[in-house]
Every structure is written in structure tokens, then in C-alpha cells.
Amino acid sequence: MKTDDKAIADGIVAAVGGADNIRAVGHCSTRLRLTLHDKTKVDEKTIEDIEGVKGQFFAGEQYQVILGTGLVNRVYNIVAGENQGGVNTDIKADLYAGMSLPKKLSRILGDIFIPVIPVLVATGLFSGFINCINSFGVQMDPNVLTIATILMKTAFTFLPVLIAWSGMKQFGGSPVIGIVLGLMLVNPLLPNPNDVVKGTVEAITFHPFGLEWNVVGYQGSVLPALVVAYIAAKTEKTLKNVVPDVLDLIITPFTTILVAGLLGMLVIGPVCQTVEHAVLAVAKFVIALPFGLGGLILGGTQQAIVVTGMHHIFLALETDYLATTGFNPFNAMISGGIMAQATAALVTGLKVKNPKKRGFYMAASLPAFLGITEPAIFGVNLKFGKPFLFALCGGACAGWCGAMLHAASTGMGVAAIPGIVTYLYSQQAIINYFIIHGVGIAVSGLLTWFFFDPNKAEQAEFEN
């Protein structure tokens, strides 16, 4: 043990109020992370003056001291008592311990999606631009279109892989096992669910006990990957506690992948698919409700369904409408809700004082204006809660307007700003488009602006 390392560790402990003030300690590759009983005891200036400390800051409930690679590991071992009866080292459990269940679920989802958000933002922008080009009828060279499709769809096609990877890290499992399980869920040998919905391919069907059990791939889905990651992490941790070390390398990963993989493909996935079919049946019933109630309900809930990743089932609904009538009223009922989510994230970004977070939140809103809401939802709105609910309110109002105006598009799979081209078939349709989206933007934006302060929300999280 280096004397300097001990001096740094002792200096940090003293400046945060002593060992008795430390609830838990952890670290990443460069920063020492602490949760404290009393944050007011921290002497930030003294810590910044300690040789070897490159910076310090509060991030929500955590106090983080920047030390750099290598040094942070040595200082952590000293502060943690070198794992011999020292302070609590399960900092993640400590962070969640005092949270209510809704707040804990929101925090877990946020922690899982934050590492994924940047790639969703990037590919969401690609998708929005390509959809705009296609919607205006611009002919693209087939090879160029292939490359463009790879750029815009890869992250969303393999979203379960990203979610399973991040989920395994969050739940305490091996990320590489999460990657393998996610790849299993989107293996090309499994029929693509969108193709199954369209009727171009058939699901893999089993008949246990005389029942029909359909299995498909889970491209673009969120819920199956989350559940699989949770089961895999718990299975792996359980096995590591009971399997002898000499057999751990063989038995633990094999059994974890076997259990979680089979459950994911044969149980969790089909259960989610059954829920999707129920959602579709309910949507057909709701859309037919009088006085615009169908639009109110669908506009106010569709983006909540996006959170589960089950929204692709609505492709069957849209396909049916277009095939039988040539028009798609469902698009008019939900498109304003997409703009509402984008607006809530944008307004949150405009109001937040931290310039780094402002840039992150505003960047997450851009793909949403182009029809890809996952970055805005998981990166901003759902994280805080209120912006998400305000955006659902905006979507409900916009959906109600769409239903009352009997608005409809002439396409599917494109909404928000790019979706305008599917309303160019008549002057009234264009007017309906601007009314619907204007209502979604206005309701969501005004509610978020006047009734939500992200700075106070972050401060409240810090104080609790």
C-alpha cells in the first residue's frame, strides 16, 4: 500500500464527515462514488485540494470524487476497508433502499436505458431523415437504400441485445451473457414479428397439451429482453453461490443461458405476444367508441405502450384499415402524442440549468420530432415522471381532436414531422394534421413549462 494512497483515502473520508457519515461506497473506472447520511458535512474545497483528486461533484444521491484510473481502485480498497469489515460496498442497493416502488422502477429503467440512449438518438435521426426522403417519393439507388436501412434500423432491430446487455449490468449479471441472450431473441431463425403481423411468414408453432403456442422473434421489443435479463442475472448470481469454483466457468454460464434463453423464447416471448394480441383487440374496440373517446384513449396510452415495446402489434390494425378503406385513422390519433413526447423532452432541456444535461435532453427530443420517441421517453420524460404524464395528456388531447375531426393519413409507419406527406391528399387533411400536432405540442409544452421544474426535481432527489 502506498503512503500517498492512504493519505488520499483518509483525506477524502475526513472531508466527507468521517467513516460514520458514509452509507455506502463504490467506484467506476475513474471515480470514487459515495452515498452519505448527511450531505451537508462534505467539505468540497478540502477534497479538491487533496493531491490526486481531479474533481468532485454530486450526481443525484451520489457524491463522486474523480481520481483517475488505477488510483481509484487503490483508494476504494482503502476506504472500503479492503473488504474486511469496512463500510457497505453495495452502493446500488443503498441507492434503491429508500425509494418508493414507482421511483425505484423508474430509476432502474433509467439506469438501463441511459447507456443505450446515444445510439438510439443517432439511429433515430437516420430513420427520420430516410423516412422523410421516402415519404416525398425521392428515388434512391437500391445499394444506397440498403446502406441507409442498415444505418437507421440496426439499433432498433437489435434493441433487445442492447437492453439485455445493459439490464444484465444493472441487475448484477455478466453483460456478455446478456448480449448472447439478446441475440437469441432476435436470431434470424425466429420469424420477424412484423412479418408475422403482415401475414407474410408464419410463427413457429408448438402444441403442448393441445394448446397452440406461437414463437416469434422479438426485434424492437423491450419487455421480453428486460425480463430475460432479470431472470438471467438472478440465475447467475444464485449459481455462483452454490457451484464450486472449479466448475463455475462451465456450469454457471451454461445453465444461465439455458434457463433464461429457453424461458425467453418459449415462455416470456409468447406471453408478451398474447398480451399484444389482447392490446390489438382492445384497440379495435376503443377506436370505434363515439364522441372521440377512442382517440382520447389511444392518443393518451399509445406512447405508454411504446415503453413495453409492444406497439408494433398496431401494424396489423393500420394494415387492415389501409387495405379495406385506404385511410389510416389510427395514425391521426397517435401522431400528436409522439410530438407531445418530443415537446416535453425539449421543454425539460430548455429549463434545466446544467449545460451538459440540457444538451442531452434536447438532443433526445430531436429523433422524437422525427417519429422515434424512445430516446425522449427513456432518457428524459420517464426518468422524471411528470413530463411523461404531461406528454400523455398532450397525446390524449391530440388524439381526441383527431377522432373528432375524422382525420386520417394515407400511410403507416411514419408519423410526427415526416408524417405530413401522408396528409397531403386534401386541404382539409393538411389542416387536420396541423391542428392535431399543434394541440399535442401546446398541451404537453405548456404543462411541462408551468408545472415541472427539472432543477427542483433533481434537487429533491439529492435531498431525499
Side-chain angles (χ1 to χ4, degrees):
M1 182 186 303
K2 296 181 180 180
T3 305
D4 290 346
D5 296 346
K6 183 76 164 59
I8 293 170
D10 290 345
I12 292 173
V13 171
V16 299
D20 292 339
N21 194 38
I22 299 175
R23 284 187 357 220
V25 60
H27 73 95
C28 62
S29 59
T30 60
R31 286 165 287 170
L32 185 71
R33 301 169 182 259
L34 303 159
T35 54
L36 308 170
H37 295 290
D38 186 351
K39 304 178 183 72
T40 63
K41 292 183 177 181
V42 175
D43 187 341
E44 298 182 27
K45 185 178 185 308
T46 297
I47 288 179
E48 289 189 341
D49 289 339
I50 296 174
E51 185 177 357
V53 172
K54 299 177 175 63
Q56 53 77 39
F57 60 94
F58 277 101
E61 191 74 7
Q62 287 187 0
Y63 181 59
Q64 302 190 17
V65 182
I66 305 171
L67 296 170
T69 56
L71 177 60
V72 68
N73 298 77
R74 301 194 302 270
V75 171
Y76 165 78
N77 288 333
I78 298 169
V79 175
E82 296 184 323
N83 300 319
Q84 296 177 358
V87 298
N88 178 20
T89 57
D90 192 353
I91 192 168
K92 187 176 294 183
D94 182 75
L95 283 169
Y96 293 152
M99 295 182 181
S100 63
L101 181 59
K103 189 173 183 180
K104 185 183 296 184
L105 291 175
S106 176
R107 177 64 179 266
I108 289 173
L109 281 176
D111 288 345
I112 290 173
F113 274 90
I114 283 174
V116 178
I117 293 299
V119 294
L120 295 185
V121 170
T123 53
L125 289 173
F126 281 126
S127 182
F129 291 141
I130 299 302
N131 284 338
C132 281
I133 293 172
N134 290 337
S135 297
F136 280 103
V138 177
Q139 295 296 319
M140 299 180 66
D141 179 85
N143 293 329
V144 174
L145 183 59
T146 297
I147 298 300
T149 301
I150 292 172
L151 287 172
M152 73 178 184
K153 288 189 175 181
T154 297
F156 289 96
T157 299
F158 293 95
L159 184 58
V161 181
L162 302 177
I163 298 304
W165 161 76
S166 187
M168 281 292 281
K169 288 180 63 179
Q170 173 65 24
F171 297 132
S174 299
V176 68
I177 292 180
I179 292 173
V180 172
L181 291 169
L183 288 169
M184 288 180 177
L185 294 177
V186 296
N187 192 297
L189 292 176
L190 295 175
N192 189 295
N194 292 334
D195 295 334
V196 173
V197 167
K198 295 173 183 176
T200 57
V201 299
E202 293 184 356
I204 298 174
T205 304
F206 296 94
H207 296 89
F209 309 108
L211 301 174
E212 184 175 294
W213 199 251
N214 295 322
V215 177
V216 298
Y218 306 100
Q219 290 82 353
S221 294
V222 172
L223 189 58
L226 281 173
V227 178
V228 167
Y230 179 80
I231 291 174
K234 295 301 180 184
T235 301
E236 184 184 21
K237 287 194 285 188
T238 299
L239 289 170
K240 283 185 175 296
N241 289 331
V242 298
V243 174
D245 291 342
V246 69
L247 299 175
D248 178 66
L249 184 62
I250 299 174
I251 294 179
T252 300
F254 172 80
T255 307
T256 300
I257 291 173
L258 178 66
V259 171
L262 288 178
L263 285 176
M265 289 184 289
L266 302 180
V267 180
I268 297 167
V271 167
C272 291
Q273 185 187 39
T274 301
V275 174
E276 289 174 350
H277 289 161
V279 169
L280 180 60
V282 170
K284 288 182 176 179
F285 170 78
V286 168
I287 250 178
L289 292 175
F291 309 115
L293 292 177
L296 181 77
I297 295 171
L298 287 175
T301 59
Q302 190 265 348
Q303 286 298 300
I305 295 172
V306 168
V307 173
T308 70
M310 295 181 179
H311 53 292
H312 63 75
I313 192 64
F314 291 124
L315 287 171
L317 184 67
E318 296 182 89
T319 301
D320 182 65
Y321 274 118
L322 289 172
T324 56
T325 69
F327 294 95
N328 180 6
F330 177 81
N331 180 280
M333 293 179 181
I334 61 94
S335 188
I338 294 173
M339 296 287 273
Q341 292 291 339
T343 303
L346 177 63
V347 172
T348 299
L350 290 171
K351 295 188 69 176
V352 76
K353 294 178 181 178
N354 186 305
K356 184 177 179 179
K357 292 182 178 180
R358 184 186 306 122
F360 179 83
Y361 297 159
M362 294 178 69
S365 74
L366 294 179
F369 283 114
L370 297 173
I372 308 298
T373 54
E374 283 86 350
I377 289 175
F378 293 110
V380 187
N381 299 341
L382 199 60
K383 171 186 175 181
F384 289 109
K386 278 188 177 181
F388 183 69
L389 295 177
F390 291 156
L392 293 183
C393 291
C397 293
W400 179 79
C401 288
M404 293 299 292
L405 292 169
H406 302 289
S409 76
T410 55
M412 59 182 287
V414 59
I417 292 176
I420 189 173
V421 297
T422 65
Y423 291 83
L424 297 178
Y425 60 90
S426 74
Q427 183 178 358
Q428 186 58 51
I430 297 174
I431 294 173
N432 291 343
Y433 170 88
F434 283 108
I435 291 174
I436 291 167
H437 291 80
V439 167
I441 290 171
V443 173
S444 174
L446 290 172
L447 286 174
T448 306
W449 184 265
F450 288 108
F451 298 102
F452 175 67
D453 185 343
N455 304 296
K456 288 185 178 179
E458 291 182 340
Q459 182 63 28
E461 181 181 356
F462 165 72
E463 292 174 351
N464 289 337

